[in-house]
Amino acid sequence: MIARVPGDSRVETGAGSPVVVGRIGTRRPGTEPGMAELVSEVLITALTRWGVDTVFGLPGDGINGIMEGLRRHRDKVRFILVHHEESAAFMATGYAKATGRLGVCLATSGPGGIHLLNGLYDAKLDHVPVLAITGMQETSVLGTSYQQEVQLDHLFEDVTEYNQMITNPAQVPGLVDIAVRTAYGRRGVAHLTFPNDIQIAEAGVNPWESVAPANPPKTAPVYLQPPVRPSDDDLGKAADVLNRGRRVAILAGVGARGAGPLVERAAEALGAPIIKSLLGKMVVPDDSPYAIGGIGLLGTAPGAEVVDDIDTLLMLGTNFPYTKFLPPPGKTKVVQVDIDPTRVGIRMPTDVPLVGDVGVTLEALLPLLHRKQDRTHLEKYQKQMADWREKMSALENSDRDPIAPQHLAHLLDELCTDDAVLTCDSGTIATWAARHWNIRGGREFYLSGNLATMAPGLPYAVAIQHAYPGRQVIAFVGDGGFAMLMAEFNTAVRYGLPIKLVINNNNSLGQILWEQMVLGYPEHGVRFAGSEPDYAAWARAAGGYGARVDNAGDLPGALRDALAADGPALLDVAVDPNEPPMPGKVSYEQAKKFATAFLRGQPQKVAIATTLFKDRIQQLRAR
């Protein structure tokens, strides 16, 4: 059977054997001959009924029973062994973001479960379905301060939409069903924690025989995402606001993914430039005649200018959190479309809130829109965007030494396939990707959005390459983020996943460096001075391809070689550590505090000033 899941994906659930509850000691479907079925097998079987075929995790004595269940059903579910539980959660999150399917991660009790949290918060804040499964001490010792006794169900309360400790084997089939439905339905994290003795109990045991357990239906489960459509009355109100607007813009977020052609049709009708949130970068191509780049610190100058200029804003599938980059309250009429009613209107006053799927809503709204004959507003920002592209192109110059990170990002954009998937970390690396990696064809782009955590780029790439073995998957990461979870490159080698890893190596925590300066403080504690690990050597030692580049002239050939390498490949690129990730539009306060940092004794001010001067010269030459 086929289950519809969020993101308009389709999941093959498989026929699966229904869970049979019967006499203790009888062998049930899926178990090995001569062995009674374990509760952990019921767990795995229940997951396969939902189409789960991959679990990312790290074993431990708190989940040995679940590992045995996975071993007995290894023909149905693949266990991807990672080096750190945080990576398992990131992989589950990246898998869910890219496929729309449930991501599943597994960790042992105590510290193992604790390590999952950062990756799970990434799933929570970016609204993707993930199921976390953890171990727990035996029920007989709970509450006795036993070794590694951490009440993970309590710890996970804030991160989860559904959170339950299993205390009776008979609970398992029904609670797995509820957990998966909740993760899909509420677009978030579900958590089930299993005490050791429950994991290895025989299936079907109900020690207290009190009431009938919550069992799932005997057919393969199906989750149908409702095609939410606003009422005709609300659609009419929205169309009235948009038709009366003289200077309209569209802000598209990841909730509009899959509705790109409809978003462009709306832009054409309204004469509206499209600005994109970072997570929504892949909603429409960057070369669309309506696209004017991003918004916020990582955005473009046209994106910043249009926000100050418009009288009407159409927000599509976005919960953009940085309100200082949005129009001031009361200045602009707002129509917002979001599938979640709790997110409509929380960032700025909304004149017409439309609760619905972006694609379904636009299909109903488009016939009500009147095409604006005056294209002056749109043409103004199309010209500004052309000027912005020229400035960015100037910064991609290959003659600069040290290597400009913009040049590295541009070469990636040039040399990668049109259906490539780029994953990214947080930091300056996100700025270079946002501005110099262009969405075209079937390209996709993933990073930690609202959590903006470091280190998910590599785990995301591993999971997405596992999900899409035939696609080119590149992790574009900084040296700071890579060093945190670098062991997962070995995971890619072990499973034969041909990811390509490109390190933008400035030997520093670049984003924090510039944030300190914008606050008016000289940099402190952000450069890894006196230590330059040989990441290329690590890649080769791990069994993959590894190379290092220090000169711009060597970069094109080295990047081609890495992309063409058979299997996982790592290219470590030494870039200019003093290249500033300047906002698209610099405020007076930012400029003043930046200058103050120099006057207070910024230790790298000569190198930074030189870099800024070179950037300005390159931009002037581009005019």
Side-chain angles (χ1 to χ4, degrees):
M1 293 184 67
I2 300 293
R4 290 299 296 259
V5 298
D8 202 32
S9 300
R10 299 179 77 83
V11 178
E12 190 73 38
T13 63
S17 301
V19 176
V20 180
V21 178
R23 183 170 57 84
I24 296 175
T26 57
R27 189 170 67 84
R28 295 170 178 79
T31 59
E32 295 184 353
M35 295 183 181
E37 187 182 25
L38 302 177
V39 169
S40 61
E41 292 184 82
V42 177
L43 165 66
I44 305 307
T45 299
L47 292 175
T48 62
R49 287 156 52 83
W50 278 100
V52 172
D53 58 15
T54 303
V55 173
F56 304 96
L58 185 64
D61 57 2
I63 52 171
N64 280 338
I66 295 175
M67 292 303 300
E68 173 61 9
L70 283 165
R71 186 192 70 81
R72 295 187 185 186
H73 294 268
R74 58 193 179 276
D75 58 327
K76 298 177 182 177
V77 178
R78 189 172 192 186
F79 177 71
I80 302 293
L81 173 62
V82 303
H83 288 274
H84 195 290
E85 291 92 352
E86 182 179 3
S87 296
F90 278 140
M91 289 179 191
T93 300
Y95 181 92
K97 286 183 176 183
T99 66
R101 298 172 61 180
L102 182 75
V104 182
C105 54
L106 174 65
T108 190
S109 55
I114 294 169
H115 283 160
L116 290 176
L117 280 172
N118 196 41
L120 295 181
Y121 270 103
D122 187 27
K124 170 189 168 74
L125 270 61
D126 285 349
H127 310 291
V128 293
V130 167
L131 173 63
I133 301 169
T134 61
M136 179 67 72
Q137 280 66 26
E138 294 183 359
T139 55
S140 61
V141 300
L142 291 178
T144 67
S145 298
Y146 199 74
Q147 184 185 31
Q148 294 189 340
E149 184 182 350
V150 176
Q151 299 300 313
L152 294 175
D153 51 330
H154 296 176
L155 183 66
F156 281 29
E157 281 180 356
D158 180 63
V159 78
T160 53
E161 298 292 339
Y162 185 80
N163 181 26
Q164 187 67 44
M165 181 168 69
I166 306 296
T167 57
N168 185 330
Q171 291 176 285
V172 175
L175 296 197
V176 169
D177 196 43
I178 295 169
V180 175
R181 287 184 186 278
T182 305
Y184 276 135
R186 297 182 182 171
R187 292 177 171 82
V189 178
H191 171 233
L192 294 173
T193 188
F194 285 77
N196 284 337
D197 51 333
I198 302 294
Q199 297 174 33
I200 61 175
E202 292 185 10
V205 172
N206 186 355
W208 300 281
E209 297 291 348
S210 49
V211 295
N215 286 318
K218 300 303 182 185
T219 57
V222 176
Y223 175 80
L224 296 175
Q225 172 64 40
V228 181
R229 179 188 185 277
S231 70
D232 289 340
D233 185 51
D234 287 340
L235 288 166
K237 292 176 182 177
D240 183 57
V241 168
L242 294 169
N243 287 331
R244 284 190 285 109
R246 296 175 56 230
R247 299 183 307 280
V248 184
I250 294 173
L251 174 57
V254 71
R257 180 184 177 190
L262 294 170
V263 177
E264 289 187 286
R265 283 176 56 191
E268 165 61 23
L270 297 169
I274 300 172
I275 41 181
K276 300 185 286 184
S277 71
L278 191 54
L279 283 176
K281 182 173 173 63
M282 57 187 159
V283 170
V284 297
D286 283 308
D287 60 0
S288 166
Y290 311 102
I292 60 169
I295 187 172
L297 284 174
L298 280 62
T300 62
E305 292 285 349
V306 78
V307 168
D308 293 332
D309 183 32
I310 55 175
D311 59 28
T312 308
L313 178 65
L314 174 58
M315 299 175 68
L316 299 174
T318 179
N319 191 32
F320 186 76
Y322 304 105
T323 54
K324 68 179 180 179
F325 296 106
L326 296 172
K331 176 180 179 293
T332 305
K333 294 287 186 181
V334 177
V335 174
Q336 183 177 359
V337 182
D338 202 289
I339 195 71
D340 186 344
T342 66
R343 295 201 295 264
V344 177
I346 67 171
R347 301 303 181 198
M348 57 189 302
T350 302
D351 296 87
V352 184
L354 296 177
V355 178
D357 174 83
V358 170
V360 173
T361 300
L362 284 178
E363 285 178 344
L365 182 63
L366 280 166
L368 306 179
L369 300 180
H370 305 151
R371 187 182 187 277
K372 297 187 186 300
Q373 299 305 312
D374 184 356
R375 317 304 279 182
T376 305
H377 173 64
L378 175 61
E379 290 168 356
K380 171 184 175 181
Y381 288 99
Q382 287 174 327
K383 182 179 183 303
Q384 285 193 19
M385 193 60 192
D387 292 342
W388 172 264
R389 289 192 180 102
E390 283 190 18
K391 291 179 179 178
M392 292 301 100
S393 179
L395 297 179
E396 296 164 358
N397 194 303
S398 62
D399 295 333
R400 298 168 67 191
D401 184 39
I403 297 170
Q406 299 97 323
H407 176 51
L408 171 58
H410 169 65
L411 279 177
L412 262 178
D413 179 63
E414 271 196 339
L415 298 177
C416 290
T417 63
D418 282 354
D419 69 342
V421 180
L422 189 78
T423 67
C424 192
D425 275 352
S426 299
T428 56
I429 191 74
T431 301
W432 314 134
R435 294 178 178 171
H436 302 276
W437 169 261
N438 291 302
I439 297 298
R440 60 174 180 266
R443 282 187 174 181
E444 296 179 12
F445 175 68
Y446 298 98
L447 82 172
S448 174
N450 287 296
L451 186 62
T453 181
M454 293 174 68
L458 173 54
Y460 275 16
V462 171
I464 294 171
Q465 188 75 83
H466 170 71
Y468 299 116
R471 293 184 70 173
Q472 187 181 61
V473 180
I474 306 101
F476 184 41
V477 300
D479 56 299
F482 171 69
M484 289 180 172
L485 295 172
M486 60 189 287
E488 303 310 339
F489 184 81
N490 177 251
T491 302
V493 172
R494 197 167 356 104
Y495 289 99
L497 299 171
I499 64 168
K500 311 307 175 191
L501 182 70
V502 178
I503 302 176
N504 183 85
N505 193 340
N506 55 21
N507 207 37
S508 66
L509 300 173
Q511 187 71 30
I512 309 304
L513 184 158
W514 295 102
E515 287 172 349
Q516 288 179 355
M517 293 180 64
V518 167
L519 287 171
Y521 307 142
E523 65 174 70
H524 179 69
V526 289
R527 296 188 192 253
F528 300 110
S531 171
E532 293 191 17
D534 191 340
Y535 294 129
W538 152 246
R540 294 191 295 272
Y545 174 96
R548 162 95 176 183
V549 177
D550 294 280
N551 301 308
D554 299 329
L555 184 56
L559 188 53
R560 288 189 181 93
D561 289 345
L563 293 174
D566 184 17
L570 181 154
L571 185 65
D572 184 12
V573 183
V575 299
D576 188 349
N578 299 306
E579 182 70 30
M582 301 297 287
K585 184 177 179 181
V586 182
S587 71
Y588 171 75
E589 281 300 314
Q590 287 172 325
K592 183 174 73 172
K593 289 179 178 178
F594 187 87
T596 300
F598 268 67
L599 295 175
R600 285 183 178 172
Q602 163 62 35
Q604 301 292 330
K605 62 184 178 184
V606 174
I608 292 170
T610 301
T611 299
L612 288 169
F613 179 72
K614 288 180 179 177
D615 284 357
R616 184 61 178 156
I617 291 296
Q618 294 293 342
Q619 290 176 342
L620 289 172
R621 286 177 177 171
R623 289 176 173 242

